Structures are given as C-alpha cells and as structure tokens.
C-alpha cells in the first residue's frame, strides 16, 4: 500500500491523521503534510495555498474546549541558560502523603527562567500526592524545548470534581516521560448485590456491599433529574470482566457505612443507554456490579489535555485510572507522539477498569498523531474517538471501503 493512503494501526503502530476542525492555521501545514505523504497538494479537492491571518480566530470552534491560542508567539529570541531542576529542591517530598501540588507548580514556574534543553526531574520510584487544592497536577503552558522527566514516578491525585493529571498547552518541542498517573480514591468500585431489585417512594433500587472505602457519604445525587443522566455502572461477570450491560444510577444513600452497604437508585428513564430496567431486574444475590464513585466519576472532564502544541511527546507513561475521559488531543499543529503510553488498570486493581469514557478524544488537529507500542485496556467507551475534516476519498473499493489521502 502506498504512503499516501491513510492507514490506521491502532495501539501497535502509528496512527496518522490530518485533522483541521475549524481552526485557522498560522502556516500552511496541510501542504507540508501532503508533500510528506508524496501527494501533489494541488490535486487535492479544496486545497488552497492561502494562509489565514494568525490574528484572526473568528472561526475557532466553540464546541467543547474553545481555547485555541496560536503557539507562534512563544519567544525564543532571548537566550536563556540551560539547567536541570529537581522538584525536591522546591519542597516536594514524594512520600505519597504530603501534598506536593504547590511545590510541583513552583518548580514548573521556575522552568520559564531557563532555555531550550532544560529539564525538570522527579525522583525515581517516588509517589507525589497532589490534593484537591490543585486543579491540574502537572500544568505545562507556553513552554518551549523542555523535558519533564520521572522514572517510574507516580503522581497520585485527589481527583474529585473533575481534577486532572496533566496539561500541555501552547507548547513547542516538549516531552513528558516516565510517569504513572493514579487516583487516590479510584473512579469506580465493585459492589456485591445484597438486595435484589425493589422499589420504594424514592424510586427503583438495588442494595450492594462495596469492595472498598470510597468516602464518608450518607447520600449522594449523581444526576439533577432522571432522563438526562450520564452516570452509568455495569454488570460484572464471574471471570471479573465487565459488560456493556449498563446500569444508569441516579442517587445513593448509605445503609451502614461501617459495613460498606449502600442503596443505589437507578434511572430507568435515561436516554443515554437502554435496558437499565432489564439489567437491574435480572440481578441475583451475590452478583457483582461496577459503580461510579460519588463526587468523582462521570464529570465531563479529561485526565490529560494535549492542546494547541507543536511537537509534543508523551513517553513511558501509565495512566491507571480516570474519572471520565482520559486524553483530550485538540488543536495541535505539529506532531503529537504517544510512545509506550499505556491506559490500563493499576497493577493492584481487581477488575478490568481504567476509564468510564473515551481513551483518546481527538479533534481539530492539523498535525500528525502518532502512537508507538501503546496498550489500552479497561475503557468503557471508545478507545479512539477521532474527528477528521480534510481527508479526501481517492478511490472507492466497495460501498463500505474507501482509500483516503
């Protein structure tokens, strides 16, 4: 197959997509992409040599994340010294208990004083806890030519209310490598059915015993109203694998917190998925269900944001647990590379769970997206959700099979 054909090799090799969405590029990146694929761009329908005014962002999409900002303003004219920094010199303990959020933020801020080739190092085999006082544990914005490096280093996050592990925004030539990302309280738990389907004045419910402590909650409401609910759990089979047999949950209340028993009210009216009622009524005593953790799961946020960059690499990364979506990849104009990035359950996890929603949500990128030797498991929505708007059909083989450039 010739190079110009658009081919997707999921997980084991490389995914190359040239997606533009609605952003206006500050240079004709499409020409570079077509030439690299040995395609004559003048033969591509709709191709133009015209380059947009970089100051005109009037057509930037307002859908989801409207944070497109040109990275061309990053100034490298001032020569700055190159230096390797260590987070421990900024007060980070790495003991898994002390809140290192502020120390990490201070260390990242210090990077702005140094030039391309500088590095921020985290200690090997350490765990850095970041509390709910920090929205994003590791926030890299408008940096150029730097590396943030761990070595089997764990970032342990209080992920309540949609907090995230990592953001790389408006950067150029940035590498993040050598980290494990995990939640202090994970976004899911397994419940054993101790009371089968029933109904009271509040609604339809099942009673469960949780396999772990997920916080001191007397009650919790997952959705504002029935029918608009996106908070789902699912049935777990005997072999430990989950299913697509969803259970839409509406609210819960504690029966006996010390014993870990709870009543879960179910939403039979939800339009997101069907057959919650049938799945709930089929459950038997001692069956297993996986349920979303209160105040943690199903916030429509991402754990990792890779937005509006030119040349960004994530390497030797494990993402073990996510509240909702895992990685958002948007508005990038240069190559984005995921090299040995594994979205998998944590080594000590009992069930095959990593995330409730999409693993990679890719939209409005005009640069290459590359996956090398990555592994994904335990995602209960799309592994790849990719939007592309500048791929052109060059040949139709069958009604459902085409070749694109």
């Amino acid at each position: 197959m010739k190079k110009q054909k658009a081919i997707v090799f999921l997980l084991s090799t490389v995914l190359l997509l040239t997606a533009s969405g609605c952003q206006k590029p500050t240079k004709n990146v499409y020409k570079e992409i077509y030439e690299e694929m040995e395609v004559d761009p003048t033969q591509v329908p709709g191709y133009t040599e015209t380059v947009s005014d970089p100051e005109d962002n009037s057509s930037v999409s307002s859908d989801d994340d409207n944070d497109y900002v040109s990275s061309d303003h990053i100034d490298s004219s001032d020569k700055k010294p190159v230096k390797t920094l260590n987070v421990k010199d900024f007060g980070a303990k790495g003991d898994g208990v002390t809140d290192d959020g502020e120390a990490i933020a201070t260390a990242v801020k210090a990077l702005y004083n140094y030039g391309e080739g500088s590095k921020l190092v985290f200690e090997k085999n350490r765990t850095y806890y970041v509390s709910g006082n920090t929205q994003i544990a590791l926030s890299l914005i408008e940096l150029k030519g730097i590396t943030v490096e761990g070595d089997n280093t764990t970032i342990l996050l209080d992920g309540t209310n949609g907090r995230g592990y990592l953001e790389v925004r408006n950067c150029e030539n940035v590498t993040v490598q050598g980290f494990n990302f995990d939640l202090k309280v994970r976004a899911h738990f397994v419940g054993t059915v101790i009371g089968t389907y029933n109904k009271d004045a509040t609604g339809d419910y099942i009673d469960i015993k949780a396999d772990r402590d997920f916080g001191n909650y007397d009650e919790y409401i997952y959705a504002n109203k029935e029918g608009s609910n996106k908070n789902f759990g699912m049935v777990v089979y005997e072999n430990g694998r989950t299913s697509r047999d969803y259970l839409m949950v509406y609210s819960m209340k504690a029966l006996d917190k010390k014993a870990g028993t709870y009543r879960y009210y179910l939403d039979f009216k939800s339009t997101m998925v069907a057959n919650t009622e049938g799945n709930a009524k089929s459950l038997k005593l001692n069956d297993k269900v996986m349920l979303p953790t209160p105040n943690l799961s199903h916030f429509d946020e991402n754990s990792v944001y890779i937005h509006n960059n030119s040349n960004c690499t994530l390497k030797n990364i494990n993402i073990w647990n996510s509240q909702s979506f895992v990685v958002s990849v948007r508005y990038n104009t240069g190559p984005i590379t995921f090299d040995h990035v594994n979205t998998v359950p944590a080594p000590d996890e009992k069930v095959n769970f990593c995330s409730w929603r999409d693993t990679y949500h890719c939209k409005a990128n005009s640069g290459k997206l590359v996956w090398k030797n990555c592994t994904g498991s335990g995602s209960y929505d799309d592994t790849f959700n990719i939007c592309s708007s500048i791929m052109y059909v060059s040949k139709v083989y069958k009604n459902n099979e085409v070749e694109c450039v």
Side-chain angles (χ1 to χ4, degrees):
M1 185 173 284
K2 297 180 180 179
K3 286 178 67 177
Q4 64 263 35
K5 297 178 182 178
I7 311 165
V8 179
F9 296 91
L10 298 183
L11 299 178
S12 60
T13 179
V14 176
L15 171 65
L16 166 60
L17 289 179
T18 60
S20 66
C22 297
Q23 85 179 61
K24 292 187 175 183
T26 56
K27 61 180 179 178
N28 203 328
V29 292
Y30 309 133
K31 181 178 181 181
E32 296 175 7
I33 292 168
Y34 288 130
E35 288 176 347
E36 185 170 333
M37 295 191 298
E38 298 179 4
V39 173
D40 180 359
T42 63
Q43 301 303 308
V44 176
Y47 174 80
T48 177
E49 291 282 354
T50 303
V51 180
S52 312
D53 178 359
E55 298 302 319
D56 179 9
N57 290 326
S58 59
S59 69
V60 175
S61 170
S62 61
D63 180 35
D64 298 314
D65 296 287
N66 185 12
D67 63 356
Y68 172 78
V69 180
S70 171
S71 60
D72 285 5
H73 71 280
I74 298 175
D75 185 8
S76 60
S77 59
D78 295 332
K79 295 296 183 181
K80 297 179 180 179
V82 176
K83 188 171 183 179
T84 295
L85 309 176
N86 195 307
V87 291
K88 68 179 180 181
D89 296 328
F90 295 86
K93 302 297 183 183
D95 58 13
V97 178
T98 303
D99 182 3
D100 287 325
E102 185 175 346
I104 292 171
T106 302
V108 170
K109 186 176 181 179
L111 279 173
Y112 292 90
N113 297 318
Y114 301 100
E116 294 183 55
S118 294
K119 183 184 292 188
L120 176 60
V121 175
F122 289 68
E123 292 185 88
K124 181 178 181 179
N125 298 329
R126 293 271 190 169
T127 296
Y128 295 85
Y129 171 61
V130 178
S131 77
N133 295 323
T134 302
Q135 187 64 31
I136 303 290
L138 189 56
S139 180
L140 310 177
I141 300 175
E142 297 185 0
L143 287 164
K144 184 174 182 179
I146 62 97
T147 297
V148 177
E149 181 177 281
D151 187 351
N152 192 38
T153 301
T154 299
I155 301 293
L156 185 64
L157 177 67
D158 175 350
T160 53
N161 294 310
R163 290 175 172 83
Y165 297 127
L166 169 69
E167 64 175 340
V168 184
R169 298 181 191 259
N170 310 320
C171 291
E172 183 177 343
N173 299 326
V174 166
T175 297
V176 180
Q177 61 186 26
F179 289 94
N180 309 310
F181 293 113
D182 200 5
L183 296 176
K184 183 177 181 180
V185 176
R186 295 197 177 131
H188 69 290
F189 68 93
V190 175
T192 299
V193 177
I194 59 172
T196 55
Y197 169 78
N198 209 330
K199 190 172 185 176
D200 62 16
T202 302
D204 305 279
Y205 68 85
I206 58 172
D207 292 338
I208 61 96
K209 178 178 174 60
D211 69 340
R212 64 196 77 183
D213 180 11
F214 53 74
N216 185 28
Y217 294 95
D218 292 314
E219 61 181 5
Y220 182 78
I221 298 175
Y222 286 90
N224 291 327
K225 62 179 181 179
E226 291 182 291
S228 62
N229 188 5
K230 296 182 180 179
N231 296 273
F232 63 86
M234 57 191 69
V235 178
V236 179
Y237 293 125
E238 290 183 2
N239 59 11
R241 294 189 64 84
T242 52
S243 64
R244 299 285 287 197
D245 294 336
Y246 290 114
L247 298 168
M248 301 303 297
V249 298
Y250 177 69
S251 65
M252 74 84 170
K253 69 176 183 180
L255 299 175
D256 185 339
K257 286 188 290 186
K258 184 174 289 189
T261 58
Y262 300 87
R263 177 160 294 174
Y264 264 78
Y265 289 94
L266 305 173
D267 182 358
F268 290 172
K269 299 178 182 178
S270 174
T271 58
M272 181 175 177
V273 297
N275 206 33
T276 288
E277 182 175 0
N279 294 332
K281 291 181 177 179
S282 68
L283 290 171
K284 303 183 295 295
L285 289 177
N286 297 316
D287 279 352
K288 307 291 189 204
V289 293
M290 188 160 65
L291 295 168
T293 304
N295 200 33
L296 188 67
S297 302
H298 292 302
F299 286 91
D300 281 339
E301 303 290 344
N302 298 270
S303 294
V304 175
Y305 298 86
I306 309 298
H307 285 195
N308 198 52
N309 303 290
S310 176
N311 195 7
C312 171
T313 298
L314 269 60
K315 185 175 182 180
N316 297 329
I317 300 286
N318 294 308
I319 303 173
W320 285 334
N321 204 257
S322 183
Q323 305 99 310
S324 186
F325 297 89
V326 187
V327 185
S328 176
V329 187
R330 302 189 180 202
Y331 318 123
N332 297 290
T333 59
I336 306 299
T337 302
F338 300 92
D339 186 352
H340 288 87
V341 175
N342 304 309
T343 53
V344 296
D348 65 343
E349 184 50 60
K350 300 174 183 178
V351 294
N352 184 33
F353 181 93
C354 178
S355 67
W356 288 108
R357 301 298 302 272
D358 301 349
T359 304
Y360 293 97
H361 202 97
C362 309
K363 184 176 182 180
N365 299 286
S366 59
K368 294 181 183 178
L369 305 180
V370 180
W371 280 265
K372 298 180 179 179
N373 302 305
C374 298
T375 300
S377 180
S379 172
Y380 292 95
D381 207 338
D382 302 323
T383 299
F384 289 90
N385 187 323
I386 301 169
C387 300
S388 174
S389 60
I390 62 166
M391 298 178 72
Y392 299 97
V393 175
S394 60
K395 185 181 292 186
V396 177
Y397 293 100
K398 301 175 183 177
N399 288 337
N400 62 347
E401 185 177 338
V402 297
E403 177 181 312
C404 299
V405 296

